[in-house]
Amino acid sequence: MLIVLFKKLMLNIHNLSISFQGEYLFEEITFKLGLGDRIGLIGKNGAGKSTLLKILSKEQEPDTGQIAADKDLRIGFLKQDIDFDFGKTVLEESYEAFKDIKQLEAKLEVINTQLAERTDYESDSYSQLMIDLNDVQHQYEILGGYNYQGETEKILQGLGFKREDFDKLTDTFSGGWRMRIELAKLLLQNNDLLLLDEPTNHLDIESIIWLEGFLKNYAGAVVIVSHDKMFLDNVTNRTIEISLGRIYDYNKPYTQFLELRKEMKTQQLAAQKNQEKQIQQTEKLIEKFRAKASKATMAQSLIKKLDKIDRIEVDEDDNSVMSLNFPVSVTPGKVVVKVKNVSKSYGDLQVLQNVNLSIDRDIKTAFVGQNGQGKSTLAKIIVGEIEHEGHLELGHNVQIGYFAQNQAEYLDGNKTVLDTMIDAANETNRSKVRDILGSFLFRGDEVEKYVKVLSGGERNRLALAKLLLQPLNVLIMDEPTNHLDIKSKNVLKEALKRFEGTLILVSHDRDFLQGLTDTVYEFKDQNIKEYLGDIDFYLEQRNLENLREAEKRTVVAEKPKETNKQNYQDQKKLKSLNNKLSNIESKIGQLEKDIKKDDIELATNYDETAANPQFFDAYQKKKKSLEKLMEDWETVQFQLEELS
């Protein structure tokens, strides 16, 4: 007997369309979703990815089209922004996964209370209570009522929670830990289909690894919206891209999808070119035959043939990207931030203890480490958002621009995009608001959108645009890449590379951090540790392949023996100084090349160049930067000689 195995169809999406203010997000899209599909749903910010998830979860109705689903299909939906009811413990919030069981528990309590209080044991109503009790207990057992508490504790522990955390309020946990509680609820529900909207936002690397492992072994189907390339490659087996209202659907993970899409576009272009050649030749023949009466019939035949040709179309790409530059307001003092013996606790939870930190002007610094270790807390302390113990001092002329991790809470949903910017502007830059919004892809009627209807990525772009309305020379950015599409992430990275001020960056994204920062601070066990180099140097010092390993490891390396302690410290310091020297020399080399180009420009086009004051300002700034770098080089060289 022949047995045919096939993928069970779970959802059939046919001719689905939805528009916003008269413009289609997507129009008449069709695809199928089967058991075992792990789909990466990609596209630019505002393309309609989150909207499509809401439609699949039945939270939102499409304008047109149908969705055919299995009758008993259970869908779990993890949204970008989690709404927690304050005042619940970790266990109480996790038990929200068992609403049917909790309702039955309430019924059992009512029945048992009545049985205990009543004395009419022989009455029919008392007998009915006994029957009801038996029925409810039977349902309770079928739904797993006698096992759910043990299952919940097991899952929570698997996600990194300790038993002592179970009775703590969810309010005391960071966004990443709250996300784990939400994931625990989805796992406990045994859903057939998971819809995950930016699941790695606010998660540290350890929990991202756990989520990858869980999704790889997941028996149902998964649709994931994410801008994390590594996560998509590790988890998905299919990619659907929403672009300019259409979808492109391939059975490949993200990176392979990009390569295949590129190959197919090349083939389309070649086929279109060949077709155009044939059409031109046919048109020439038509013109030639039209002139002769004997060939008129042949000309008409060729015209009909030409009309029947299906013109090959090349898939359009949406290549629009935002334009971003962070200008420095004024030059601050040499030391911009000085932290001395700073401590912070939330109730009984000690996050930072006697932390000391000094950040110099123009240095780009990364804060790395697990969630809940105090990275965002220290950032908020520096910007004066939360109280703390210890001493914090900002340098002379320091003007801070702050991008918060929970950026949505800093924007008023009832304002339009334009009003948000106008209210943040002053007399000198109010006239530039529309130009700034245009450079962040808010054009035409889009500026009249209310903030509450913007996607996560659009809100992030608006928050970045707002930063440009205030004078700043120090940028503090807490997970700025959350919600941003891959192209926007690249634009932001290049803008931060060009930024000539001081940068403090909280991030878990190694690709984003590479080549961006000069110093790394690792947050662990209530304290911080400095690494004088970029993210690759930090990983090299930790003898790790990547940030994932850094955040996953908890075993402390064995200390060197006391007799070799000084030698070990010296070798460590020597390596740090050599790395710093190499970094400075690289910057000096680049600046010298830039100045040489300017010198040539001055020599060849003096009259034209002399008329441009901005050229001379930039030229002098480069020379001053070169002088400072030379001083830094001498200082580090002297330290190396002393150590040797």
Side-chain angles (χ1 to χ4, degrees), residues 206-233:
E206 189 174 356
S207 48
I208 291 173
I209 292 169
W210 176 86
L211 181 58
E212 284 180 358
F214 165 60
L215 294 176
K216 282 177 189 175
N217 299 311
Y218 190 65
V222 188
V223 181
I224 306 164
V225 172
S226 179
H227 301 123
D228 185 329
K229 293 182 282 187
M230 188 183 292
F231 180 74
L232 289 172
D233 280 338

Side-chain angles (χ1 to χ4, degrees), residues 476-534:
I476 298 179
M477 310 193 88
D478 192 354
E479 299 290 1
T481 59
N482 283 353
H483 308 295
L484 285 183
D485 60 56
I486 292 164
K487 286 180 182 176
S488 296
K489 276 169 70 171
N490 293 336
V491 169
L492 176 59
K493 181 173 179 176
E494 290 306 311
L496 292 177
K497 278 184 179 179
R498 292 191 302 270
F499 178 54
E500 295 181 345
T502 307
L503 174 67
I504 298 173
L505 187 59
V506 180
S507 180
H508 297 296
D509 190 332
R510 181 188 175 181
D511 288 336
F512 187 71
L513 288 172
Q514 268 182 325
L516 191 50
T517 60
D518 315 299
T519 307
V520 174
Y521 283 96
E522 180 186 37
F523 284 66
K524 193 171 184 181
D525 301 330
Q526 304 169 11
N527 221 307
I528 62 174
K529 186 176 180 182
E530 183 183 35
Y531 292 82
L532 297 172
D534 65 3

